[in-house]
């Protein structure tokens, strides 16, 4: 009889993962923090052509690119002369289960089927669950989705309850847990008991699935405007969205395109806190994931995370909950597109950014997500009020996660705040010092960190010196 | 509706996965006080059962799972919420601005 206690199962993590993902990560280890990322991506991932073929099989991808004509007109009106870049929106909600996550799920579930697994499991409270369930249905595999849904009062986050409904609609078994990181322990136990495939968000093939998003939008922009986009704004949480899109753009030859990460600022809320769980109105695309995953990507369920955002991120912009709800309303009322709020995080940042850029420049907002009961702004704001959050119109600078959601009075008030990239990269190095319990890193390790941070080795050395 | 479920009926069960004392050391204080709980829907795999009883269900993928029966024909309670005045004002105000001119700008 196996010991299924928390400590014991966590102790078996590596063996369980190896069985459930089918990747021997030790092959890519070099020394300490350093591993051969590109070799892993080349050997375990798929090429753009292969991914396109896999995604075609299950009707994923080839989503519309929409020029936001009304919103762009508005931006022109509120920008100085000669300013006001044009925004184009990649409507990823057009994918089968309603988000770009279908691209990742398509490849993960293909991989599971190819290797003979009878089923797939994903630990996710987000759109990825529905994506995996939908792809599993298409390929005739069983599916279990494990979510963190309820607080200790039994109150469910409406957005997550809606995801559960969607997963059940696709024939998946949905296990709903109360708040806590020990979801991972239970997830490991299920993998062990069922022998199913771990459709992790962070495997090389999963990230390869997002690369077609980058290459597609580039092709569409060249068709529409004659050139690659100047900026692509990506909603950032776990880092896969940004990593995959950036890699796809690079493979497509868009060498000059700036990659801008965008997250909803939820600072002040603790992600493992029972009390804070239902005091937020965004369950993804926020700093609660965005910062930890940028500064320590290998916190993922798999030993080495294929999503390594700081390799590709040029800037990191934050927006408030209130501004993002406002922009969601603009998209519906001005462009006739009802889309889920979390998926509009990057649109919100883009609207603010567009006003600073020249009017001959272009921005692509690279995703949207579906909306419905539990997800849409009225559902989320009603829930917020029921949980004691003040919801009002006013100055968005007064937004305070867990306390107040303030919607702007006018589009002119939408302003991103910018994260200091040097600070985030310093945090990454500090994490490395902590995780590897040393301050002296070898030449190989420092070179790796330089790649992981898109910096020179000298810059890494300066950071190390400053924290010692 | 009675509090009795019959074989094959769609039900929700509940189970404690970890007691407060068994939780991970890293969780914050407020979470540490609570058990880690699980809820799951499935088909009742016994002749009949009352709410509160220990039961076995068969999930949609055929797994047998046991737990406490908490709901019979569990519904989805999430909705589109109430109308939010602050949202309803946005569209008309912005359309006015696009068509006519400046509104009260900061």
């Amino acid at each position: 009889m196996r010991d299924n206690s928390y400590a014991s199962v966590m102790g078996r993590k590596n063996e369980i993962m190896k069985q459930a993902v089918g990747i021997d990560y030790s092959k890519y280890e070099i020394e300490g923090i350093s591993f051969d990322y590109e070799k892993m991506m080349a050997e375990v991932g798929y090429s753009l052509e292969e991914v396109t073929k896999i995604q075609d099989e299950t009707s994923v991808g080839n989503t519309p690119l929409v020029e936001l004509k009304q919103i762009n007109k508005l931006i022109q009106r509120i920008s100085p002369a000669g300013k006001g870049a044009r925004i184009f929106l990649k409507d990823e909600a057009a994918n089968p289960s309603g988000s770009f996550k279908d691209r990742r799920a398509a490849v993960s579930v293909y991989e599971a089927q190819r290797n003979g697994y009878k089923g797939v499991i994903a630990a996710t409270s987000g759109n990825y669950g529905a994506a995996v369930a939908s792809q599993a249905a298409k390929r005739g595999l069983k599916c279990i989705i494990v979510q963190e849904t309820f607080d200790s009062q039994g109150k469910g986050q409406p957005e997550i309850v809606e995801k559960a409904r969607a997963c059940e609609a696709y024939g998946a078994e949905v296990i709903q847990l109360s708040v806590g990181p020990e979801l991972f322990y239970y997830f490991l136990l299920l993998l062990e008991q069922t022998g199913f495939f771990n459709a992790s968000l962070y495997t090389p093939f999963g990230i390869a699935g997002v690369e077609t998003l980058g290459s597609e939008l580039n092709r569409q922009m060249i068709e529409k405007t004659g050139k690659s986009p100047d900026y692509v704004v990506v909603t950032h949480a776990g880092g896969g969205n940004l990593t995959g899109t950036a890699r796809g753009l690079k493979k497509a030859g868009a060498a000059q395109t700036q990659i801008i990460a965008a997250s909803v600022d939820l600072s002040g809320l603790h992600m493992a806190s029972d009390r804070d769980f239902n005091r937020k109105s965004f369950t993804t695309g926020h700093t609660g994931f965005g910062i930890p995953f940028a500064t320590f990507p290998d916190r993922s369920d798999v030993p080495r995370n294929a999503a390594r955002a700081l390799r590709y991120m040029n800037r990191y912009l934050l927006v408030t909950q209130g501004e993002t709800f406002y922009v969601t309303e603009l998209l519906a009322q001005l462009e006739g597109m009802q889309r889920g709020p979390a998926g509009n995080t990057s649109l919100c940042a883009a609207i603010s950014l567009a006003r600073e850029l020249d009017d001959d420049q272009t921005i692509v907002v690279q995703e949207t997500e579906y909306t419905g009961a539990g997800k849409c702004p009225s559902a989320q704001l009603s829930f917020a009020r029921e949980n004691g959050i003040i919801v009002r119109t006013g100055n968005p600078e007064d937004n305070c996660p867990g306390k107040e959601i303030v919607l702007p009075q006018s589009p002119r008030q939408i302003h991103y705040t910018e994260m200091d990239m040097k600070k985030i990269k310093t945090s990454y190095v500090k994490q490395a010092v902590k995780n590897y319990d040393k301050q002296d890193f070898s030449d190989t390790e420092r070179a790796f960190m330089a790649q992981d941070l898109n910096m020179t080795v000298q810059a890494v050395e300066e950071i190390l010196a400053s924290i010692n | 509706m009675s509090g009795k479920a019959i074989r094959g009926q769609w039900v929700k069960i509940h189970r404690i996965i970890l007691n407060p004392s068994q939780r991970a050391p890293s969780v914050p204080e407020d979470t540490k006080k609570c058990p880690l709980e699980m809820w799951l829907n499935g088909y009742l795999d016994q002749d009949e059962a009352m709410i509160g009883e220990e039961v076995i269900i068969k999930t949609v993928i055929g797994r047998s799972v046991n737990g406490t029966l908490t709901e019979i024909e569990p519904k989805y309670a999430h909705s589109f919420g109430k109308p939010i005045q602050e949202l309803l004002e946005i569209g008309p105000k912005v359309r006015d601005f696009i068509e006519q001119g400046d509104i009260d700008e900061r």
Side-chain angles (χ1 to χ4, degrees):
Chain A
M1 184 65 192
R2 263 223 156 110
D3 182 354
N4 287 338
S5 70
Y6 179 80
S8 185
V9 171
M10 292 301 274
R12 301 202 288 274
K13 169 187 160 177
N14 287 337
E15 299 95 83
I16 297 173
M17 263 319 147
K18 211 166 171 193
Q19 281 300 305
V21 172
I23 299 172
D24 182 3
Y25 282 92
S26 65
K27 273 176 76 177
Y28 308 104
E29 293 300 315
I30 299 176
E31 186 196 335
I33 193 174
S34 128
F35 78 104
D36 197 336
Y37 175 64
E38 289 299 343
K39 185 171 178 210
M40 181 183 80
M41 295 305 281
E43 281 185 15
V44 186
Y46 289 100
S47 68
L48 278 178
E49 293 71 30
E50 287 167 327
V51 174
T52 303
K53 186 159 174 292
I54 293 167
Q55 290 175 344
D56 278 349
E57 278 174 21
T58 54
S59 310
V60 171
N62 290 309
T63 56
L65 185 73
V66 181
E67 183 175 354
L68 297 182
K69 297 191 176 148
Q70 289 289 87
I71 286 180
N72 287 338
K73 213 160 60 177
L74 178 66
I75 289 170
Q76 281 291 305
R77 290 286 305 276
I78 58 174
S79 301
K83 297 286 181 189
R86 275 187 302 163
I87 300 179
F88 294 75
L89 185 65
K90 188 96 170 95
D91 199 15
E92 287 293 287
N95 281 303
S97 79
S99 79
F100 89 96
K101 291 300 208 304
D102 284 324
R103 294 185 191 256
R104 283 161 110 151
V107 188
S108 292
V109 178
Y110 169 84
E111 188 69 9
Q113 186 182 51
R114 190 177 74 88
N115 286 298
Y117 289 85
K118 294 285 175 278
V120 291
I121 308 184
T124 166
S125 306
N127 287 324
Y128 189 55
V132 172
S134 161
Q135 290 295 310
K138 284 173 182 285
R139 290 194 182 270
L141 265 61
K142 296 184 181 187
C143 178
I144 300 176
I145 302 298
V146 188
Q147 299 182 319
E148 180 188 55
T149 323
F150 296 101
D151 64 17
S152 60
Q153 308 297 309
K155 216 184 324 172
Q157 225 292 347
E159 188 168 57
I160 302 174
V161 171
E162 160 55 23
K163 305 295 166 60
R165 181 208 63 78
C167 294
E168 287 189 330
Y170 299 130
E173 175 183 322
V174 181
I175 296 175
Q176 299 179 304
L177 302 184
S178 57
V179 178
E182 301 96 330
L183 180 149
F184 184 58
Y185 143 79
Y186 195 63
F187 170 66
L188 286 171
L189 200 51
L190 284 168
L191 284 170
E192 199 175 51
Q193 288 171 350
T194 59
F196 284 2
F197 183 76
N198 171 16
S200 167
L201 281 163
Y202 303 114
T203 46
F205 33 82
I207 300 306
V210 187
E211 291 178 9
T212 50
L213 214 185
S215 58
E216 236 174 71
L217 76 86
N218 187 59
R219 187 176 23 91
Q220 288 170 308
M221 282 300 280
I222 291 174
E223 277 165 23
K224 279 190 197 282
T225 69
K227 62 180 173 88
S228 297
D230 296 298
Y231 296 84
V232 172
V233 188
V234 187
T235 304
H236 170 64
N241 199 7
L242 190 145
T243 302
T245 302
R247 289 176 63 87
L249 282 163
K250 284 195 179 351
K251 286 184 180 179
Q256 306 304 318
T257 302
Q258 292 281 295
I259 309 293
I260 315 290
S263 293
V264 170
D265 190 354
L266 288 188
S267 42
L269 293 179
H270 196 303
M271 291 302 129
S273 157
D274 177 65
R275 194 190 62 92
D276 287 352
F277 182 68
N278 279 321
R279 299 184 73 79
K280 61 184 185 289
S281 301
F282 285 78
T283 58
T284 187
H286 60 69
T287 49
F289 293 125
I291 294 172
F293 271 91
T295 54
F296 176 36
D298 295 327
R299 63 174 59 245
S300 50
D301 54 346
V302 293
R304 288 296 195 169
N305 195 346
R308 308 190 83 82
L310 289 179
R311 281 188 179 232
Y312 305 101
M313 192 191 291
N314 295 121
R315 292 170 69 181
Y316 190 3
L317 309 182
L318 303 187
V319 290
T320 62
Q321 296 185 103
E323 288 166 306
T324 311
F325 282 123
Y326 180 89
V327 165
T328 299
E329 196 66 15
L330 285 190
L331 187 61
Q333 295 267 335
L334 296 184
E335 298 287 345
M337 294 171 75
Q338 278 186 83
R339 299 292 183 266
N344 295 328
T345 304
S346 38
L347 175 58
C348 185
I351 288 173
S352 174
L353 180 66
R355 296 172 66 196
E356 301 168 357
L357 303 177
D358 293 340
D359 57 11
D360 61 353
Q361 290 189 293
T362 55
I363 303 174
V364 171
V365 170
Q366 79 35 300
E367 67 153 328
T368 59
E369 56 156 348
Y370 84 98
T371 195
K375 285 168 72 89
C376 70
S378 56
Q380 282 295 323
L381 292 176
S382 297
F383 184 72
R385 279 193 166 138
E386 283 162 25
N387 285 284
I389 311 291
I390 295 168
V391 176
R392 61 180 178 87
T393 305
N395 183 348
E397 285 173 20
D398 294 337
N399 268 280
C400 185
K403 297 207 172 72
E404 277 195 80
I405 295 175
V406 185
L407 283 75
Q409 289 161 308
S410 116
R412 275 197 225 268
Q413 289 178 300
I414 301 170
H415 287 301
Y416 64 77
T417 52
E418 184 140 11
M419 292 281 297
D420 183 342
M421 289 302 290
K422 183 83 186 288
K423 258 199 177 133
I424 303 177
K425 294 181 181 185
T426 302
S427 289
Y428 172 105
V429 177
K430 281 184 178 166
Q431 271 286 321
V433 165
K434 181 168 161 247
N435 294 333
Y436 290 86
D437 198 19
K438 65 185 183 187
Q439 290 174 341
D440 286 314
F441 289 92
S442 69
D443 288 347
T444 309
E445 290 179 295
R446 277 179 278 130
F448 171 81
M449 285 197 274
Q451 284 176 333
D452 235 21
L453 294 173
N454 195 19
M455 290 177 122
T456 60
V457 176
Q458 187 182 358
V460 172
E461 282 163 2
E462 279 166 18
I463 295 179
L464 276 165
S466 75
I467 63 181
N468 282 350
Chain B
M1 186 188 296
S2 75
K4 185 171 80 166
I6 58 170
R7 182 179 289 280
Q9 201 168 11
W10 186 241
V11 298
K12 191 187 288 288
I13 60 167
H14 170 268
R15 214 166 82 197
I16 306 273
I17 302 296
L18 292 173
N19 290 315
S21 58
Q22 294 171 311
R23 301 213 62 158
S26 59
V27 298
E29 283 310 306
D30 59 335
T31 310
K32 220 174 237 164
K33 295 194 187 109
C34 317
L36 182 69
E37 304 175 79
M38 180 201 87
W39 290 264
L40 174 58
N41 296 335
Y43 306 101
L44 187 65
D45 200 17
Q46 56 195 65
D47 287 341
E48 58 181 47
M50 304 293 289
I51 300 260
E53 262 185 58
E54 284 303 303
V55 299
I56 298 181
I57 59 166
K58 264 238 157 61
T59 70
V60 290
I61 63 167
R63 289 196 321 131
S64 279
V65 184
N66 63 299
T68 310
L69 180 63
T70 57
E71 200 180 339
I72 301 168
E73 291 181 357
K75 67 174 192 185
Y76 298 116
H78 62 299
S79 72
F80 289 91
K82 298 190 172 139
I84 306 286
Q85 184 71 25
E86 292 78 357
L87 286 175
L88 294 168
E89 289 170 352
I90 295 170
K93 214 169 171 190
V94 172
R95 274 197 293 275
D96 254 355
F97 172 61
I98 292 179
E99 278 155 40
Q100 286 165 32
D102 248 293
I103 41 179
D104 44 347
E105 301 298 330
R106 190 161 66 88

